[in-house]
């Protein structure tokens, strides 16, 4: 039996689709899963008749691969990855390469890259986005590790990746955990956009009284615009339009309002806090999921805590795409991207990743969950000004903010008066207002800190560090 080009450990949905993607593109493969039943089912089903071999032990799996071996691990982050590495490493030889394609914490990947490189085996932490369909048809992939290790898989991943007008949606991000760091921030931006669209749905439903068909029509119109055309807007229209086959009602209304999460949004927020980067839109999207999990408490509180009566809100007409709400959504989505990109810049500086934000915008244009026409504008912004401190001060984005900010302000105010929570829309407004304010009230915070803790403060009228005996 001939040796396979490529190996996969982990036959979950993403793993299956990635290996079928590789096989379709001319790379023979060998697969291994912890449970034999899963392997047998795949080989008898989707893997049948293809250039894919099965292995039932890791030693057998390794022996079926041509050298240098290229092994993709699509398994749960944390201890399972470490256990698999510990089992595989004694079976590998110099030049062999392990790839972690899951959502691992980027600092864990830093340690694994160092450990594996010291043993003469390569290690890549590669963020993969696109869901099941993207994995099969062409995902976006963000690779970190050594450049030499990436070059060993470049021909494979560049063929498997989604293709856009200016190249494959995969690139070498940088050393160590750079790939997983970029994927983490990608997911943080994704959390923000999803919550923004959910708040728009809430305003259309509760604030404007629209039914599912009308809401889908509005979102469908949004998807025709350069500023909003994207995968997430596209699937939001589909979700709003889909009917429950049992009742005939719109299916979204039958879904429990409790959102799950797998950790990458939280990691984005933690990283931002550690690095001193403001990501309020992304933070509020995570917080919204946490609050959604308190379903029983919320139901009880609704009978105890008073709120205003929701009256019809002026959000524009269906015919004009609900222009005020549309503008609020556009600006809020811009802030989610702006915050994520600011975090990528700071992380790059802290860890010497040398991230290329233009390249990142390019590979996010296809395959991934946050793919959007807006990314071409982001790509242009950082191509023209690689050291751009914040996306909002690029001329095109500045024009968007200045032209739509009053509508965002109006929508947030209307939501507050109606008692409809708008955590991300509100956070976006506060982020823009804070960023454009030449003076913020933290001078009062510094006075308090010095008063109770002698932390000192700086002055606006002369250099130095000062302390006042405020309570003397």
């Amino acid at each position: 039996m001939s040796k396979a080009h490529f190996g996969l450990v982990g036959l979950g949905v993403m793993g299956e689709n990635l290996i079928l993607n590789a096989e379709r593109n001319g790379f023979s493969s060998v697969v291994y899963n912890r449970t034999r039943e899963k392997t047998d089912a795949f080989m008898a089903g989707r893997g049948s008749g293809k250039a894919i071999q099965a292995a039932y032990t890791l030693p057998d799996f390794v022996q079926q691969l041509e050298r240098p071996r290229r092994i993709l691990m699509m398994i749960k982050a944390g201890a399972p990855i470490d256990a698999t590495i510990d089992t595989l490493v004694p079976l590998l030889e110099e030049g062999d390469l392990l790839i972690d394609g899951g959502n691992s914490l980027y600092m864990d990947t830093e340690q694994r890259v160092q450990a594996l490189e010291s043993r003469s085996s390569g290690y890549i932490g590669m963020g993969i986005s696109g869901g099941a369909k993207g994995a099969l048809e062409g995902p976006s992939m963000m690779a970190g590790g050594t450049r030499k290790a990436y070059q060993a898989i470049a021909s494979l991943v560049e063929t498997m990746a989604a293709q856009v007008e200016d190249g494959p949606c995969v690139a070498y991000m940088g050393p160590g955990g750079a790939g997983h760091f970029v994927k983490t921030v990608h997911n943080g931006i994704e959390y923000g956009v999803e919550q923004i669209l959910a708040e728009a749905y809430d305003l259309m439903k509760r604030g404007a009284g629209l039914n599912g068909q009308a809401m889908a029509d509005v979102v469908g119109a949004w998807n025709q615009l350069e500023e909003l055309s994207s995968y997430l807007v596209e699937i939001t229209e589909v979700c709003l339009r889909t009917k429950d086959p049992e009742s005939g009602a719109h299916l979204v209304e039958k879904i429990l309002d409790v959102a799950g999460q797998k950790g990458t949004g939280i990691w984005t927020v933690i990283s931002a806090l550690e690095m001193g980067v403001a990501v309020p839109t992304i933070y509020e999207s995570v917080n919204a999921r946490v609050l959604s999990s308190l379903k029983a408490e919320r139901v009880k509180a609704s009978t105890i805590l008073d709120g205003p009566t929701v009256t019809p809100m002026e959000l524009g007409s269906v015919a004009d795409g609900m222009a005020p709400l549309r503008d609020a959504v556009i600006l809020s989505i811009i802030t989610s991207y702006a915050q994520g990109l600011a975090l990528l810049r700071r992380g790059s500086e802290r860890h010497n990743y040398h991230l290329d934000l233009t390249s990142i915008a390019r590979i996010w244009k296809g395959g991934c969950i946050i793919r959007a026409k807006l990314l071409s504008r982001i790509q242009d912004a950082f191509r023209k000004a690689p050291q751009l401190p914040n996306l909002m001060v690029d001329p095109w984005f500045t024009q968007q903010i200045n032209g739509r900010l009053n509508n965002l302000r109006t929508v947030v105010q209307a939501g507050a008066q109606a008692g409809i929570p708008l955590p991300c829309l509100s956070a976006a407004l506060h982020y823009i207002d804070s960023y454009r304010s030449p003076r913020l009230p933290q001078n009062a915070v510094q006075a308090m800190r010095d008063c109770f803790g002698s932390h000192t403060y700086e002055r606006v009228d002369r250099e130095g560090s000062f302390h006042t005996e405020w309570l003397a």
Side-chain angles (χ1 to χ4, degrees), residues 380-456:
D380 289 343
F382 287 103
R383 183 186 293 119
K384 291 183 297 185
Q387 301 307 313
L388 189 71
N390 190 290
L391 187 64
M392 296 190 297
V393 298
D394 168 78
W396 187 86
F397 286 95
T398 295
Q399 183 180 35
Q400 297 300 310
I401 291 168
N402 290 343
R404 304 179 192 273
L405 188 56
N406 283 342
N407 275 343
L408 172 58
R409 201 177 304 283
T410 298
V411 168
V412 169
Q413 181 181 24
Q417 289 176 337
I420 297 175
L422 303 175
C424 278
L425 297 185
S426 300
L429 176 61
H430 298 323
Y431 181 69
I432 295 169
D433 279 342
S434 294
Y435 196 76
R436 67 172 189 81
S437 295
R439 185 172 175 87
L440 292 169
Q442 274 60 46
N443 53 316
V445 172
Q446 286 299 91
M448 287 182 268
R449 293 180 71 241
D450 187 55
C451 181
F452 71 69
S454 300
H455 291 294
T456 73

Side-chain angles (χ1 to χ4, degrees), residues 140 177 313 361:
S140 174
M313 297 169 62

Side-chain angles (χ1 to χ4, degrees), residues 201 205 239-240 242-258 295:
Y201 150 77
K205 179 178 172 58
C239 292
L240 292 173
T242 300
K243 298 288 187 67
D244 177 17
E246 296 179 6
S247 66
H250 285 94
L251 181 57
V252 70
E253 306 304 336
K254 299 293 183 181
I255 298 174
L256 185 67
D257 59 327
V258 176
K295 177 67 174 179

